Amino acid sequence: MEREKDLIERRVVLPLAEPERATRHGVRPPRAVCLFGPPGTGKTTFARGIASRLGWPFVEILPSRLADEGNLAAALRSAFARIAELERVLVFIDEVEEIAPVRSEPAQPGGMHGVTNELLKLIPGFRERDERLLVCATNSIRSLDPAFLRPGRFDYLIPIGTPDKAARAAIWSRYTDGRTDVDIDELVLASELFTPADIEHAARIAAQASFERDLVSVGGRGGDDPAPGASTADYLEAIAECRPTVTPAMIEQFASDITTHART
Ligand SMILES: Nc1ncnc2c1ncn2[C@@H]1O[C@H](COP(=O)(O)OP(=O)(O)O)[C@@H](O)[C@H]1O
Ligand SMILES: [Mg+2]
């Protein structure tokens, strides 16, 4: 997924890795970014990738876990207070639409109004210090509160879509271990609209089929197969069995979300 990787590298990783050099050019290193796109496209993977590129600890805030402490807004505040003590950190909040949904007027009892307000108040403080980045991820950017997403809070709103042909080829090669007997081009064509997660799942089904065939042949010379592993036919069969997570309607919605929300 070179396009996304390259964008994240240039806009996010490099200014944070080289803050002085960036500042000399008037580039303020980002403090908060939001990744949006259909499920399984690699948002969490990219967030972890940014932390590992920077060599920063990765801290995930799990609102469902914080909610166990009782008052979610207060728990969020104390989580950010603990995070403030870290020298450098990437903070990840997944499915952020659950804690920062569009605030309905008037506030609904038991709604997220207070939590969203708390998060809005916490972000400016978080942004003041160097060597930290908040990464939020969402499958549904249109359900997020518009105030939450405004430029003073989030520097970039980055779309993460389904992999193109080249990206699918790279992902398939990974799961087929570069075996030359597998026809990657055919798999790429058959897996249009597949997310990395879908490809992983299909690859697993194919591997399992190959494994089971090997077990069945144990009566004969099982285990001695000179070319073990799933074949192109196994992969194609697995692809046919899987329904891609992302539908054409979701692609259309994603395209319109990009037009409305993307900030890169
Ligand atoms: N670029 C990639 N190449 C290979 N596998 C990937 C890539 N991005 C994601 N994956 C795999 O796809 C699955 C879903 O990725 P994830 O980051 O959890 O998606 P999301 O957070 O958008 O739902 C994971 O198992 C991950 O390892
Ligand atoms: Mg995720």
Side-chain angles (χ1 to χ4, degrees):
M1 301 177 66
E2 289 304 323
R3 195 161 22 101
E4 285 90 348
K5 224 159 89 180
D6 180 62
L7 187 70
I8 290 173
E9 180 75 9
R10 285 186 292 128
R11 300 282 201 277
V12 183
V13 174
L14 293 177
L16 289 167
E18 306 244 16
E20 274 116 48
R21 212 195 298 196
T23 310
R24 246 184 281 142
H25 293 274
V27 171
R28 272 179 303 129
R31 293 283 169 253
V33 301
C34 185
L35 308 179
F36 69 94
T41 48
K43 298 178 292 298
T44 303
T45 305
F46 274 117
R48 287 188 181 280
I50 296 169
S52 99
R53 282 282 292 127
L54 292 168
W56 292 3
F58 179 91
V59 173
E60 178 163 6
I61 292 186
L62 291 163
S64 56
R65 187 88 66 81
L66 292 180
D68 295 343
E69 295 177 25
N71 182 332
L72 181 53
L76 210 52
R77 207 178 318 126
S78 68
F80 270 85
R82 288 197 298 277
I83 285 163
E85 288 166 18
L86 299 173
E87 198 175 337
R88 55 183 71 89
V89 62
L90 185 150
V91 178
F92 181 58
I93 306 181
D94 206 359
E95 293 172 22
V96 72
E97 72 279 2
E98 285 179 14
I99 56 168
V102 176
R103 284 168 294 175
S104 50
E105 295 293 343
Q108 302 292 314
M112 281 290 155
H113 221 106
V115 177
T116 309
N117 286 340
E118 189 60 47
L119 198 55
L120 294 184
K121 277 191 274 175
L122 287 167
I123 294 176
F126 180 88
R127 296 186 59 93
E128 275 169 21
R129 306 243 332 254
D130 290 341
E131 296 202 284
R132 51 207 56 231
L133 178 72
L134 172 67
V135 179
C136 291
T138 181
N139 300 331
S140 178
I141 195 154
R142 56 180 64 201
S143 7
L144 281 165
D145 193 276
F148 178 71
L149 292 175
R150 76 174 172 71
R153 296 204 167 87
F154 283 87
D155 304 280
Y156 298 115
L157 309 178
I158 302 174
I160 308 290
T162 50
D164 61 12
K165 280 195 180 132
R168 294 203 300 280
I171 298 171
W172 276 117
S173 304
R174 203 177 107 179
Y175 288 118
T176 56
D177 285 329
R179 269 178 291 127
T180 46
D181 56 312
V182 179
D183 186 342
I184 297 288
D185 290 342
E186 242 192 288
L187 306 189
V188 165
L189 283 180
S191 57
E192 209 183 336
L193 286 193
F194 273 46
T195 62
D198 294 331
I199 294 176
E200 183 176 39
H201 181 61
R204 185 187 187 140
I205 292 178
Q208 180 71 23
S210 160
F211 169 58
E212 287 177 12
R213 203 166 46 229
D214 188 17
L215 288 183
V216 167
S217 70
V218 155
R221 285 181 309 283
D224 300 339
D225 192 337
S231 64
T232 305
D234 289 323
Y235 287 111
L236 289 175
E237 212 169 290
I239 290 170
E241 260 181 60
C242 297
R243 223 190 324 264
T245 313
V246 177
T247 62
M250 284 163 83
I251 292 288
E252 217 169 282
Q253 197 176 72
F254 179 53
S256 108
D257 285 343
I258 292 176
T259 314
T260 321
H261 294 289
R263 188 188 307 140
T264 58

